[in-house]
Amino acid sequence: MSVSRIRPLIVHVILIAVSALMLIPFLLVVFGAFKTQGEFTRDPGAWLPASFLNLDNFVMLFQRGFGGYLLNSVIVSVMVVLANLLFSSLAGYALAKLRFRGARLVFGIVISAMMVPIVAIFVPQFLVAVQLHLVDTLVGIAAPMMVMPIAVFIVRQFASSIPEELMEAARLDGASELRIFWQIFLPLLGPALATVSVMTFLYSWNAFIWPLVIAQSQNTYTLPIGLSIAASSNNTTLFGVMLAGAVVVLLPVLILFLLLQRYFVQGITATGMK
Amino acid sequence: MADVLSRREAPGRRLPPGVRLRIGHEAATAWIFLTPTLILMALFTVIPAVIALTLSFTDIGLRDLRDPFSVDFAGLDSFAAVLANTDFQRALLNTLLFVLVGVPLTIVIGLVLAVALNTGIRRLRPVYRTAIYVPVVANIVAASVIWKYALGYQGPINEALTHIGIPAPNWLGDPQWAVTAVIMLTLWRNIGTAMVLFLAGLQAVPEDVMEAAALDGAGSWGRFWHVTLPLLRPTTLMVSVLITVMYMNIFEEPYLLTGGGPLGSTRSLSLWIYEQFGYGKIAASMAGSFVLLALVALVSITQFRLLRPKH
């Protein structure tokens, strides 16, 4: 009897402790972003800021060009999400609902592409980008992310569960494939497209290695690149501004995550990929 | 390719002409729909993968970047040079250390948390799950900025440690503590993924199997060991392959938190590859990628064999 009462307590204690540890960095960034430079020098170990009304760090951040980086990040993410929505629903429809020789091969390539680590191929990707004159452009940053295998995979898996009869009936009525795709298939794809949007936004907003390689001037830096370059060039001097930058980078994804958590988790468990 | 789709297509000859025409039309539509995907995947995944394999057998350098056809065949020279490079060897060992420490910790902690979340705590489950999962979606550059500040020698973490009487380590200045810091950052970022995947696996374990085992007199530990774990085998396989590959490719954490230092103690294989690219040593970089890709493939295949269902 006592064991059954103690065990839930232990479980809660463990989960509260782990949750608290996981959230400490988020607390520290919020506290730190409101500290003045003087506070960092005077007492670098203090947790709380003197005042939560000090917005100097954010002002300085935007004076240092972070507004432009923010805009670049938004443009790249919008391009990536829209391209993935369109291309993955077209490809997913073809792979799940149309009969043609080579469907298995194409799907096999999509699956294998999910396994290729960016670290292993970013150099030849850069060579391709050089040939296509995409170096130091926003399109160049977005291009390799415009078709994510994971997006094709999610749509294809979801589309397989849509009954064949709906499309067959439309075909017998003489509807064109494009019309079937647009008027019958797409409207049924809602939940899959929500997952695709969330996953591809997360991926492009957080993308680091590729933008680091291909963005070569302030005109094309995305937020993470701008922040990492700023952080490495003034190591200890401007903690407050760097932490304010971290808040700006984190906030959109965190808000989206809290609102649409269901789709994030679905995306992960559907594919086992980040 | 003996697949279901082409077999469905094969008896087309006996179908009425109109239907046959439609199937041909369907194939044409399929290829048109697939065109953007295929072009982009060819340009940015398939061709680069082929180039990566080819270039590591050449002497390509920085000046060849704009004219890739001017390079000469160099056989296995790049590989020989890379394998003999002491920095590369160190990076290989560092990566091995990250894998050997990071992977088991991520999997065990992820599984324990998933099991804890799966014990009847209904109301608070989403709260805990959110808190533990949220670092997964956090941007790594932002995370590293925060961690660098938090782990500073006089920073808030050491302040708290000193407060409760634990001697403050020099997290980012001492080689061993730097390795610990990088592993802590990777755990922070990856435990949520393992936990969510295990939780999905646990929720698929049928209730009646557990009840039957309980009726047979199995205790909760016995049920976990003899019923839950074997049923979780496919999930465990997926999680371990996924997490191992993540740790083998580890790049952002050491690059951003420690820059590979101090004294090369946290330089991973990926970081070494990236640095070679930065120095213009493209052939060395490619040969390093080749070794990394081969290792990733080898480890994934081995894990699939070891953990696949027993018959």
Side-chain angles (χ1 to χ4, degrees), chain A residues 28-83:
Chain A
L28 285 175
V29 71
V30 172
F31 294 164
F34 292 99
K35 285 190 188 179
T36 62
Q37 198 49 41
E39 290 179 72
F40 283 106
T41 4
R42 234 175 298 125
D43 186 3
W47 282 55
L48 285 166
S51 150
F52 278 104
L53 297 172
N54 163 36
L55 295 175
D56 293 356
N57 293 327
F58 292 92
V59 173
M60 268 172 79
L61 193 68
F62 284 90
Q63 281 167 352
R64 293 171 150 251
F66 271 72
Y69 307 157
L70 178 64
L71 187 65
N72 288 342
S73 269
V74 170
I75 294 173
V76 168
S77 293
V78 167
M79 280 197 281
V80 168
V81 172
L82 290 181

Side-chain angles (χ1 to χ4, degrees), chain A residues 200-215:
Chain A
T200 55
F201 172 77
L202 178 67
Y203 191 91
S204 61
W205 188 263
N206 284 345
F208 182 64
I209 302 180
W210 177 246
L212 183 67
V213 170
I214 196 160

Side-chain angles (χ1 to χ4, degrees), chain B residues 49-92:
Chain B
V50 174
I51 298 179
L53 298 185
T54 326
L55 282 190
S56 36
F57 296 98
T58 69
D59 65 348
I60 186 170
L62 193 60
R63 67 197 141 72
D64 301 312
L65 274 188
R66 291 195 185 258
D67 184 16
F69 294 104
S70 66
V71 297
D72 292 318
F73 184 70
L76 296 172
D77 292 359
S78 310
F79 290 100
V82 159
L83 291 175
N85 181 309
T86 46
D87 278 352
F88 177 83
Q89 293 167 356
R90 180 74 198 271
L92 196 62

Side-chain angles (χ1 to χ4, degrees), chain B residues 10-66:
Chain B
R13 218 171 292 157
R14 260 170 268 131
L15 293 170
V19 176
R20 219 196 311 159
L21 187 74
R22 213 205 62 216
I23 289 176
H25 182 67
E26 228 176 287
T29 311
W31 287 111
I32 294 170
F33 279 17
L34 283 168
T35 303
T37 298
L38 291 177
I39 290 178
L40 281 165
M41 278 186 41
L43 279 177
F44 292 104
T45 311
V46 180
I47 293 175
V50 174
I51 298 179
L53 298 185
T54 326
L55 282 190
S56 36
F57 296 98
T58 69
D59 65 348
I60 186 170
L62 193 60
R63 67 197 141 72
D64 301 312
L65 274 188
R66 291 195 185 258

Side-chain angles (χ1 to χ4, degrees), chain A residues 104-122:
Chain A
R104 285 255 302 227
L105 179 69
V106 173
F107 190 57
I109 294 175
V110 171
I111 297 281
S112 332
M114 284 206 277
M115 306 295 285
V116 179
I118 169 107
V119 200
I121 58 164
F122 76 87

Side-chain angles (χ1 to χ4, degrees), chain A residues 12 22 47 99 125 127 268 272, chain B residues 26 44 65 128 156 188 242:
Chain A
H12 279 289
M22 296 303 232
W47 282 55
R99 276 160 287 181
Q125 277 185 332
L127 298 181
I268 301 280
Chain B
E26 228 176 287
F44 292 104
L65 274 188
Y128 293 136
W188 181 72
L242 189 76

Side-chain angles (χ1 to χ4, degrees), chain B:
Chain B
M1 244 195 21
D3 68 59
V4 187
L5 291 150
S6 47
R7 243 182 282 134
R8 256 166 80 199
E9 211 178 314
R13 218 171 292 157
R14 260 170 268 131
L15 293 170
V19 176
R20 219 196 311 159
L21 187 74
R22 213 205 62 216
I23 289 176
H25 182 67
E26 228 176 287
T29 311
W31 287 111
I32 294 170
F33 279 17
L34 283 168
T35 303
T37 298
L38 291 177
I39 290 178
L40 281 165
M41 278 186 41
L43 279 177
F44 292 104
T45 311
V46 180
I47 293 175
V50 174
I51 298 179
L53 298 185
T54 326
L55 282 190
S56 36
F57 296 98
T58 69
D59 65 348
I60 186 170
L62 193 60
R63 67 197 141 72
D64 301 312
L65 274 188
R66 291 195 185 258
D67 184 16
F69 294 104
S70 66
V71 297
D72 292 318
F73 184 70
L76 296 172
D77 292 359
S78 310
F79 290 100
V82 159
L83 291 175
N85 181 309
T86 46
D87 278 352
F88 177 83
Q89 293 167 356
R90 180 74 198 271
L92 196 62
L93 284 178
N94 289 341
T95 308
L96 189 69
L97 179 68
F98 289 137
V99 171
L100 288 180
V101 179
V103 173
L105 282 176
T106 310
I107 292 176
V108 170
I109 299 174
L111 179 61
V112 167
L113 292 174
V115 170
L117 280 182
N118 205 36
T119 58
I121 39 157
R122 296 236 160 61
R123 236 173 341 131
L124 283 174
R125 184 187 293 157
V127 179
Y128 293 136
R129 200 188 58 185
T130 307
I132 297 170
Y133 188 77
V134 78
V136 175
V137 300
N139 183 284
I140 181 60
V141 180
S144 305
V145 166
I146 304 167
W147 277 62
K148 229 173 168 170
Y149 154 66
L151 294 179
Y153 190 56
Q154 294 175 304
I157 295 297
N158 277 355
E159 167 98 357
L161 288 178
T162 318
H163 199 73
I164 53 174
I166 299 173
N170 188 359
W171 293 102
L172 304 174
D174 175 89
Q176 274 165 4
W177 283 111
V179 172
T180 312
V182 168
I183 291 177
M184 276 164 46
L185 177 56
T186 60
L187 288 176
W188 181 72
R189 286 187 77 206
N190 292 331
I191 283 172
T193 304
M195 178 193 73
V196 166
L197 291 170
F198 275 124
L199 192 58
L202 284 172
Q203 285 169 347
V205 172
E207 290 276 333
D208 49 339
V209 177
M210 300 306 283
E211 278 162 23
L215 286 178
D216 287 347
S220 54
W221 178 248
R223 266 176 297 170
F224 176 73
W225 198 252
H226 295 290
V227 183
T228 313
L229 265 191
L231 283 171
L232 268 185
R233 219 181 164 83
T235 311
T236 313
L237 169 67
M238 182 175 68
V239 175
S240 60
V241 171
L242 189 76
I243 301 290
T244 309
V245 171
M246 273 178 180
Y247 273 96
M248 292 183 78
N249 292 326
I250 181 171
F251 172 78
E252 286 102 333
E253 291 89 345
Y255 175 81
L256 291 162
L257 190 64
T258 58
L263 306 172
S265 58
T266 55
R267 183 188 288 121
S268 67
L269 216 47
S270 298
L271 186 49
W272 184 87
I273 293 168
Y274 179 80
E275 286 175 356
Q276 298 304 305
F277 171 73
Y279 303 149
K281 296 181 182 166
I282 312 289
S285 173
M286 293 285 79
S289 312
F290 190 99
V291 174
L292 178 62
L293 260 183
L295 285 176
V296 167
L298 192 75
V299 168
S300 318
I301 292 167
T302 314
Q303 281 180 320
F304 268 107
R305 289 190 167 244
L306 286 177
L307 282 162
R308 77 177 159 197
K310 288 175 184 160
H311 296 294

